[in-house]
Amino acid sequence: MSDEGYESRIIDGKALAKKIESEVESGVKALVSGRGVTPGLATVLVGDDPASKMYVRLKHKACERVGIRAEDHFLPAETSQEELISLINTLNKDKNVHGILLQLPLPKHLFPQEAMEAIAPEKDADGFHPYNMGKLMIGDEGLVPCTPHGVIRALEEYNVPIKGKNVVIVGHSNVVGKPMAAMFLNRNATVSVCHVFTDDLKKYTLGADILVVAAGVKHLIKADMVKEGAVIFDVGITQEKDGVYGDVDFENVIKKAALITPVPGGVGPLTIAILMKHVLSCAEINF
Ligand code: NAD
């Protein structure tokens, strides 16, 4: 046990994901037996970016594990915006599809924002639709982005208090940083959001009780940038020939952290498990 009273210094994302997936599996079984509805997820992938293909494959595998029906819509890289929107409209009307996931990034000639807005908000399993984002901003959390949702679930699971804590988020993307900040504000933390133009990043990170790093810069956060006893979530993924790296210099930072997520095996599996939870919620509400 660490000085702060936590049982382990590593947040086991894989184990927590397994727990969430088993909750989803039970929920799916109840929906099938109770209402005769099998939750369905439609994934839409445009082009053949290998990383995107791998992410879609991982999501389909998770669907298989929990009993969600998954269908894969692969569109060639030269697909037009009209063709993409037309597919999304078809999926919006399909009663067997409860959640729709548009895998990002899209090829450069397409407009991701317009495509995401075309997804029916009640089928927005990723939580990126402006309606769901807006609800999140006013504290009415429904379908929220999966990665921030996973971070909050992990904090709950490890009994880490949030109210009144100093939270620092590195990265201000629409996918992670901004919704993460809103979720912490909704729980009455004091939140600082840093980004590539932040002057003196260390000045902020040193004050963090909870630090969430989503910059995509290998080992951006060093041990001298975190305070003793901080709880740290490393969202970043940098794929190199010899392996996958996070945004946190894990080996050295772990010596100071009360709790920390590894890369791989931390935030990644959690994000996918939460996506499964969202598809189930979509099916429970709209069947
Ligand atoms: P993005 O590329 O849209 O944004 C990156 C953010 O980091 C920006 O706000 C930018 O200003 C900031 N940033 C970049 N360099 C910085 C620096 N040197 N100092 C401070 N801030 C800096 O990123 P995103 O889509 O939020 O993804 C971030 C990382 O998280 C990527 O590595 C991505 O692959 C990973 N990711 C992982 C998961 C998961 O499930 N594990 C989910 C989403 C994203």
Side-chain angles (χ1 to χ4, degrees), residues 13 16-24 41 59 62 65-66 68 101 124-127 142-154 156-157 183 266-282:
L16 181 49
K18 224 173 167 181
K19 183 175 175 187
I20 296 168
E21 285 189 7
S22 84
E23 291 165 10
V24 175
L41 172 69
K59 289 163 191 173
R65 289 197 293 273
V66 299
I68 288 175
L101 182 142
D124 173 33
D126 253 342
L143 290 167
V144 297
C146 298
T147 300
H149 189 174
V151 168
I152 296 292
R153 172 69 195 260
E156 288 167 357
E157 202 69 29
M183 292 189 83
V267 174
L270 264 182
T271 298
I272 293 181
I274 294 285
L275 173 70
M276 298 299 108
K277 203 173 168 62
H278 286 185
V279 179
L280 173 63
S281 301
C282 292

Side-chain angles (χ1 to χ4, degrees), residues 5-104:
Y6 299 106
E7 269 178 31
S8 158
R9 284 181 183 270
I10 295 180
I11 295 177
D12 188 342
K14 277 191 195 161
L16 181 49
K18 224 173 167 181
K19 183 175 175 187
I20 296 168
E21 285 189 7
S22 84
E23 291 165 10
V24 175
E25 197 181 353
S26 306
V28 170
K29 280 185 183 146
L31 202 60
V32 173
S33 63
R35 299 180 189 165
V37 174
T38 302
L41 172 69
T43 59
V44 179
L45 173 63
V46 189
D48 47 15
D49 172 58
S52 294
K53 272 182 157 173
M54 184 194 71
Y55 289 132
V56 168
R57 215 170 30 243
L58 288 174
K59 289 163 191 173
H60 278 251
K61 277 190 179 161
C63 285
E64 240 174 71
R65 289 197 293 273
V66 299
I68 288 175
R69 191 185 63 80
E71 55 182 60
D72 187 5
H73 295 269
F74 172 71
L75 300 175
E78 57 277 12
T79 298
S80 69
Q81 184 77 6
E82 292 70 32
E83 286 166 326
L84 174 59
I85 302 284
S86 164
L87 170 62
I88 291 171
N89 285 335
T90 304
L91 297 172
N92 281 341
K93 288 184 207 128
D94 188 337
K95 288 205 164 7
N96 294 316
V97 171
H98 303 94
I100 301 170
L101 182 142
L102 177 62
Q103 185 64 44
L104 300 176

Side-chain angles (χ1 to χ4, degrees), residues 55 147 170-173 175-177 194-196 201 214-217 220 235-238 247 267-268 271:
Y55 289 132
T147 300
V170 182
H172 69 338
S173 71
V175 181
V176 185
C194 303
H195 45 76
V196 73
L201 182 62
V217 180
L220 174 67
V235 179
I237 301 170
T238 302
D247 287 355
V267 174
T271 298

Side-chain angles (χ1 to χ4, degrees), residues 3 40 44 59 66 123 125 144 154 158 160 165 210 248 262 272 276:
D3 299 344
V44 179
K59 289 163 191 173
V66 299
K123 294 192 177 189
V144 297
Y158 283 80
V160 178
K165 296 295 173 192
I210 300 170
V248 176
I272 293 181
M276 298 299 108

